[in-house]
């Protein structure tokens, strides 16, 4: 019996692959689209296996490798992990297993520490992210002389997946996790999960005008530009395409993408592997 290697498809040859557990990574995708208008983008919402933040490390690693390998097989030239949880658990493993450049978002603790005046920074993220060794290391490396309050925010991802970002129910759940961080004196909040920028208006209203919110999506897009180097399509080439896939419910993802991406988009089903 022969064991031929699968022939890589070229449907997305030269595109940039971006993925998250769901639609949260669209907050990164929009920064990438703004920075790289000529590039073709392929986005995977791994909604059939979400939320990552409540799963085991081995599940998150297995999903990161499965989606990363699928993108590589499509011929992408770079992969962006638009999910803090996947980054802190599995970015290193994915980097070890692919020759492609991997750019990965992580909680923006360093810039937040530089900006705080009260000396207290809040990090809002998933359970897995706040418990991770990577975040402990970021706090050790950048947090000298400051207090860093790590706050898990269960339920926020599900609200964003339902595109429920402005309701009274959402505001109540935002208040439940932001209030204790503010009570400890935080004046700077890191949006440490890519779903949370879609709750930005609600978080800002709850936190009040004296509190800054930090989202590293634009820094990730800049890093991607840097990593592409001369593989970048020339400025002025025709506008790139954007393709969306989900491993979960197509209708639900379509609904969320329509609300959050701000432009009509077709979502295709991806067998969840
Ligand atoms: N958007 C992801 C992140 O940045 C995780 C959401 C989830 O728990 O699935 O952490």
């Amino acid at each position: 019996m022969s064991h031929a290697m699968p022939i890589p498809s070229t449907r997305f040859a030269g595109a940039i692959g971006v993925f998250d557990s769901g639609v949260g990574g669209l907050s990164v995708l929009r920064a990438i689209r703004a920075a790289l208008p000529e590039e073709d983008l392929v986005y995977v919402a791994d909604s059939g296996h979400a939320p990552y933040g409540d799963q085991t490390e081995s599940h998150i690693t297995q999903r990161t490798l499965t989606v990363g390998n699928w993108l590589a097989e499509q011929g992408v030239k770079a992969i962006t992990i638009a999910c803090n949880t996947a980054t802190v658990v599995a970015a290193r493993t994915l980097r070890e297993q692919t020759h492609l450049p991997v750019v990965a978002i992580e909680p923006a603790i360093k810039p937040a520490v530089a900006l705080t005046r009260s000396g207290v920074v809040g990090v809002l993220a998933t359970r897995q992210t706040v418990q991770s060794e990577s975040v402990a290391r970021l706090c050790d490396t950048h947090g000298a002389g400051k207090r860093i309050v790590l706050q898990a925010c269960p339920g926020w991802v599900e609200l964003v997946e339902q595109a429920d970002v402005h309701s009274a129910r959402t505001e109540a759940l935002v208040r439940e996790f932001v209030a204790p961080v503010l009570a400890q004196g935080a004046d700077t909040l890191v949006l440490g999960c890519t779903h949370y920028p879609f709750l930005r208006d609600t978080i800002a209203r709850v936190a009040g005008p004296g509190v800054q919110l930090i989202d590293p999506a634009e820094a990730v897009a800049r890093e991607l530009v840097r990593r592409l180097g001369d593989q970048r399509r020339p400025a002025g080439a025709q506008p790139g395409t954007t393709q969306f896939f989900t491993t979960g419910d197509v209708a639900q993802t379509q609904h969320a993408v329509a609300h959050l991406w701000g432009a009509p988009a077709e979502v295709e089903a991806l067998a969840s592997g």
Side-chain angles (χ1 to χ4, degrees):
M1 198 204 279
S2 96
H3 291 277
M5 294 287 288
I7 299 165
S9 135
T10 50
R11 179 167 173 202
F12 297 116
I16 294 165
V18 181
F19 76 92
D20 176 43
S21 62
V23 292
L26 297 176
S27 65
V28 180
L29 193 73
R30 68 186 172 192
I32 294 173
R33 174 46 77 221
L36 292 165
E38 298 86 8
E39 300 293 338
D40 291 340
L41 306 178
V42 185
Y43 183 86
V44 178
D46 194 19
S47 329
H49 301 267
Y52 285 180
D54 296 332
Q55 312 277 359
T56 62
E57 291 194 5
S58 69
H59 175 94
I60 297 164
T61 302
Q62 185 247 321
R63 291 312 306 164
T64 299
L65 294 178
T66 300
V67 178
N69 289 338
W70 182 80
L71 287 166
E73 284 165 16
Q74 307 314 304
V76 301
K77 63 184 172 191
I79 295 174
T80 300
I81 305 181
C83 175
N84 294 267
T85 312
T87 298
V88 299
V89 173
R92 194 190 319 162
T93 311
L94 180 61
R95 286 189 172 114
E96 283 165 5
Q97 302 209 2
T98 178
H99 63 283
L100 294 170
V102 175
V103 175
I105 195 164
E106 67 178 15
I109 291 171
K110 184 179 177 187
V113 163
L115 285 168
T116 179
R117 297 216 192 126
S118 69
V120 184
V121 164
V123 179
L124 309 171
T126 67
R127 278 201 194 95
Q128 270 291 2
T129 297
V130 301
Q131 288 167 7
S132 68
E133 281 172 29
S134 301
V135 163
R137 218 175 305 118
L138 286 171
C139 293
D140 284 349
T141 308
H142 305 296
K146 314 284 181 194
R147 179 134 179 264
I148 300 178
V149 179
L150 303 176
Q151 177 67 57
C153 307
W156 289 15
V157 165
E158 288 84 344
L159 291 170
V160 175
E161 288 295 320
Q162 293 157 24
D164 179 2
V165 294
H166 294 297
S167 69
R169 169 176 85 136
T170 298
E171 180 155 337
L173 202 59
V174 164
R175 194 176 299 282
E176 183 175 338
F177 298 120
V178 168
V181 180
L182 299 178
Q184 295 183 66
D187 67 347
T188 307
L189 299 177
V190 175
L191 304 180
C193 166
T194 54
H195 283 72
Y196 301 173
F198 291 111
L199 299 171
R200 189 179 190 114
D201 291 351
T202 306
I203 297 169
R205 194 167 52 246
V206 166
V211 174
Q212 340 182 50
L213 307 182
I214 314 286
D215 169 15
E218 287 177 10
V220 169
R222 283 195 298 275
E223 174 63 6
L224 179 61
V225 170
R226 194 187 70 75
R227 293 291 300 278
L228 286 177
D230 58 13
Q231 284 201 69
R232 187 178 166 179
R233 288 198 180 148
Q238 65 179 31
T241 59
T242 312
Q243 308 280 337
F244 299 89
F245 288 87
T246 179
T247 58
D249 186 276
V250 171
Q252 197 197 328
T253 305
Q254 182 101 40
H255 170 79
V257 171
H259 277 74
L260 304 175
W261 183 242
E266 230 3 71
V267 177
E268 292 180 49
L270 176 62
S272 68

